[in-house]
Amino acid sequence: FGMYPFADVKRLAAEWKYPVTTIFDVGASEGESTLDALNNFPEARVLGFEPHPSTFATLMAKVGGNPRFQGFNVALGTDIGEVEMIEYDSFKANSLTPNNPHSKRFNTRGRSIRVQETTLDTFCSEHSIDNIDLLKTDVEGFDLVVLQGSSLMLQKRAVKFVLVEFYDLLPREGVFGGALMPFEDLLGPFGFRFVATYNGYISTGGEMFSTSNALFCLPPRR
């Protein structure tokens, strides 16, 4: 465990006899993680959420032809309607908050655009989705907000695995999101258990900066 998150999901899902048929890729970007999910879970459909218009167009050009994929040009959070998004020169840093961990660490300045947002609970209700086997989020500091908009699905035990991005263990002053412990605080009461972390990037120049992911699982009731 702790080497590759999709491998760990497959191992635990097999142990608990959880079928992996529905995956949410929140912050799908240009489709790298979407393609990875489609390749690793051949029985699953993947729903990709990407609010930035040109990035979404690239996502659809790369993955839109796959019959197991559906793309949605919308952000997931706690609001419904039009919201502000900050776009940067690098599309990978685009975020719904101007003081996300990446922009604060590297002192980058972005431009404001307007995008559509809804909640995961609302989306699932409107699209008659009863379960999410794997919920993956990579939204530059906004991941906890995605989960806050998912409380009904979490309460119903309708989500089995959650894979989130984080930068620090604890919240940092002046930085929005990106801390690991608040995920445990939110998911723990719903019965989730921490599995492992997966480091993706470390910058050692100046103040050390790292990007990682964390996997949480919902074990079956005994």
Side-chain angles (χ1 to χ4, degrees):
F1 284 93
M3 298 296 292
Y4 179 49
F6 286 170
D8 292 344
V9 169
K10 287 193 283 187
R11 291 172 65 186
L12 291 169
E15 177 73 21
W16 294 327
K17 295 180 173 56
Y18 286 167
V20 181
T21 59
T22 302
I23 297 172
F24 274 31
D25 187 356
V26 184
S29 190
E30 292 190 342
E32 181 179 354
S33 57
T34 299
L35 290 168
D36 201 11
L38 288 166
N39 290 333
N40 274 276
F41 301 96
E43 304 299 320
R45 60 170 175 162
V46 178
L47 285 70
F49 300 85
E50 175 51 55
H52 191 272
S54 63
T55 306
F56 178 75
T58 302
L59 170 69
M60 295 305 295
K62 287 185 176 181
V63 197
N66 191 305
R68 293 191 289 119
F69 171 75
Q70 291 177 278
F72 299 89
N73 188 202
V74 64
L76 296 184
T78 54
D79 294 321
I80 298 176
E82 193 175 74
V83 297
E84 180 184 56
M85 182 178 201
I86 308 299
E87 65 172 3
Y88 297 90
D89 292 337
S90 170
F91 68 89
K92 293 183 178 181
N94 294 339
S95 176
L96 270 73
T97 171
N99 57 339
N100 64 78
H102 188 278
S103 65
K104 293 292 287 186
R105 166 60 181 83
F106 296 102
N107 195 30
T108 53
R109 296 290 182 269
R111 302 162 294 277
S112 175
I113 64 172
R114 306 296 291 182
V115 300
Q116 292 297 315
E117 180 180 325
T118 189
T119 72
L120 185 144
D121 285 335
T122 300
F123 179 90
C124 290
S125 175
E126 292 176 347
H127 291 80
S128 301
I129 295 174
D130 298 323
N131 69 283
I132 302 170
D133 302 300
L134 171 58
L135 170 59
K136 167 261 170 185
T137 72
D138 181 353
V139 285
E140 302 303 317
F142 212 66
D143 303 69
L144 190 68
V145 183
V146 174
L147 296 181
Q148 289 169 343
S150 312
S151 58
L152 293 178
M153 291 290 284
L154 295 172
Q155 186 175 28
K156 292 190 297 184
R157 295 178 60 88
V159 182
K160 295 300 188 291
F161 294 94
V162 176
L163 181 65
V164 294
E165 185 180 55
F166 74 97
Y167 306 85
D168 294 289
L169 290 179
L170 299 172
R172 289 196 173 207
E173 184 177 355
V175 176
F176 186 96
L180 177 59
M181 296 310 296
F183 291 118
E184 169 64 28
D185 294 339
L186 188 151
L187 292 170
F190 293 111
F192 281 83
R193 297 295 302 272
F194 168 77
V195 177
T197 62
Y198 313 84
N199 181 260
Y201 169 78
I202 292 180
S203 173
T204 58
E207 181 187 6
M208 181 175 166
F209 180 83
S210 67
T211 300
S212 303
N213 293 286
L215 179 65
F216 294 84
C217 67
L218 184 68
R221 288 178 171 147
R222 299 299 183 184

